[in-house]
Amino acid sequence: MLNDFVEKHSERIGIIFVIVSLLFVGYEIRENSRSSRASNHLALIDTAMRLNVEIMKDDQLAKVFKDTMDGVRYPAGQLDNLKQEILLQQLYNIWEVAFYNFHKGQLEDDVWLAFRGYFTEFLLPKSYDFWENHRFMYGPVFREHVDSIPVKM
């Protein structure tokens, strides 16, 4: 009797198992995507925090950072100018990584909005001269993004 039932309904039972398997795979993909976005967020935060620690440990680098955010630029050829250039390059690299992660769906919307807000409102107006001279170092889509931001000086 069981054999008759299985034989009679085996195709339907197989379809049900396929559907359940697909639902499980979809669930696993969704969970993996969430985990990936969280990992990307943590990696960006970790990178920014390591930069912050370096700034806090070195009084001269802290002064360079403060001056940079105050719009002060050091003359070319000075060691502080080199530190300023590297600092800005690293900040723009963090922004670019966040930008590409967001556009690949690997960063949550609210996390991107926080990064974008900081960089567009705080960093870009204070470092637009750096951007103009170094934009070639960044990807074309990211360059379009930064260039589309109206800079409030």
Side-chain angles (χ1 to χ4, degrees), residues 55-71:
I55 291 169
M56 289 186 299
K57 287 188 332 188
D58 182 339
D59 289 344
Q60 185 57 31
L61 186 56
K63 181 184 180 323
V64 168
F65 179 76
K66 181 187 178 312
D67 287 348
T68 301
M69 293 302 105
D70 288 343

Side-chain angles (χ1 to χ4, degrees), residues 73-138:
R73 292 294 176 267
Y74 299 110
Q78 285 189 357
L79 179 59
D80 286 344
N81 174 264
L82 178 62
K83 287 181 180 181
Q84 197 169 50
E85 297 275 319
I86 292 170
L87 176 67
L88 286 167
Q89 183 179 355
Q90 188 160 3
L91 289 168
Y92 276 90
N93 287 341
I94 293 169
W95 186 5
E96 184 178 34
V97 168
F99 172 82
Y100 283 118
N101 279 337
F102 174 72
H103 287 283
K104 289 178 183 176
Q106 297 173 344
L107 194 64
E108 297 288 346
D109 291 357
D110 56 342
V111 174
W112 167 243
L113 290 174
F115 271 96
R116 188 182 72 183
Y118 168 79
F119 287 114
T120 59
E121 297 297 321
F122 185 64
L123 178 67
L124 186 59
K126 304 293 185 179
S127 63
Y128 196 74
D129 58 328
F130 171 86
W131 174 250
E132 284 292 297
N133 293 322
H134 296 85
R135 59 190 305 284
F136 67 90
M137 297 169 55
Y138 303 92

Side-chain angles (χ1 to χ4, degrees), residues 8 40 44 65 76 99:
K8 191 174 185 179
N40 286 331
L44 285 167
F65 179 76
F99 172 82

Side-chain angles (χ1 to χ4, degrees), residues 95 99 116 120 124 128 131 135 141-151:
W95 186 5
F99 172 82
R116 188 182 72 183
T120 59
L124 186 59
Y128 196 74
W131 174 250
R135 59 190 305 284
V141 178
F142 179 67
R143 285 196 308 259
E144 286 177 28
H145 168 70
V146 175
D147 289 341
S148 73
I149 299 168
V151 180

